[in-house]
Amino acid sequence: MLYDHLGKRLSKYDSFPRFFNDDDSSDLRTFYLNYQLINVKPDQTKFCSTTLAGSLIQVFNINNGAIELVKQKGFEPPIISKSKEKRGFADKECILGFRHIQVTDEYIYVLYCGTKVKDLNKNKDIVSSNIYVFDWNCKPIKKYEIKDGRA
């Protein structure tokens, strides 16, 4: 959702991408809301959204109080738990993708994990092995490898 400086809602976007035909829309909505990271371009003309569970990156324009999807790119599909207790959350087979995001006027920097939920260590530390750099059209620019996985 997009709000002005007085708290008035200007626009919203909730058309979450579907990776599989059998995805339940309500589960998918819950899933993305639980695992989404957002950062706004410094000039405030765009924002980027990424997901921790699965690996999706989306870029949106902010124009005259409206939100418009510019580009999206999926790397790993989200795997949503089908159990009643964890419905709408990541399944143990789901790969954890983008866990942190920073942006500049030129680039989007994302910290990538690449570990399945079931393979997290006992301390639940999320280890990241790469930093990916994208332009504002979701085009990959560069990949940095993190030697010890701690970022």
Side-chain angles (χ1 to χ4, degrees), residues 23-38:
D23 284 342
D24 180 315
S25 293
S26 63
D27 285 350
L28 198 61
R29 179 174 168 68
T30 302
F31 182 83
Y32 280 118
L33 291 175
N34 281 314
Y35 296 100
Q36 188 176 43
L37 303 168
I38 296 173

Side-chain angles (χ1 to χ4, degrees), residues 3-146:
Y3 294 89
D4 69 10
H5 67 284
L6 298 174
K8 179 184 171 194
R9 187 174 83 185
L10 301 174
S11 184
K12 77 174 190 171
Y13 182 91
D14 62 358
S15 181
F16 299 106
R18 297 173 70 108
F19 285 89
F20 306 107
N21 290 330
D22 64 344
D23 284 342
D24 180 315
S25 293
S26 63
D27 285 350
L28 198 61
R29 179 174 168 68
T30 302
F31 182 83
Y32 280 118
L33 291 175
N34 281 314
Y35 296 100
Q36 188 176 43
L37 303 168
I38 296 173
N39 209 324
V40 179
K41 190 174 179 184
D43 69 6
Q44 299 186 349
T45 60
K46 296 178 185 282
F47 70 92
C48 180
S49 171
T50 61
T51 59
L52 172 60
S55 302
L56 173 70
I57 183 170
Q58 296 176 299
V59 171
F60 298 86
N61 278 337
I62 303 170
N63 191 7
N64 294 325
I67 300 170
E68 172 191 27
L69 178 65
V70 174
K71 190 81 171 180
Q72 68 183 15
K73 190 168 186 163
F75 296 90
E76 297 287 343
I79 301 174
I80 303 170
S81 177
K82 300 295 183 189
S83 75
K84 289 181 182 179
E85 303 82 38
K86 295 185 176 187
R87 195 165 178 104
F89 289 89
D91 185 80
K92 64 183 179 181
E93 294 295 322
C94 186
I95 291 177
L96 297 177
F98 303 126
R99 66 175 276 246
H100 190 71
I101 178 175
Q102 286 294 326
V103 300
T104 67
D105 280 326
E106 289 185 71
Y107 299 113
I108 301 162
Y109 298 83
V110 291
L111 191 57
Y112 180 76
C113 179
T115 302
K116 288 185 178 182
V117 170
K118 71 178 183 180
D119 295 332
L120 291 176
N121 68 28
K122 292 180 183 180
N123 295 329
K124 302 291 185 210
D125 287 343
I126 300 175
V127 178
S128 298
S129 56
N130 296 296
I131 296 173
Y132 288 98
V133 182
F134 297 91
D135 69 11
W136 282 95
N137 288 308
C138 297
K139 179 183 170 193
I141 301 297
K142 189 160 184 145
K143 173 184 167 184
Y144 297 97
E145 192 171 320
I146 303 167

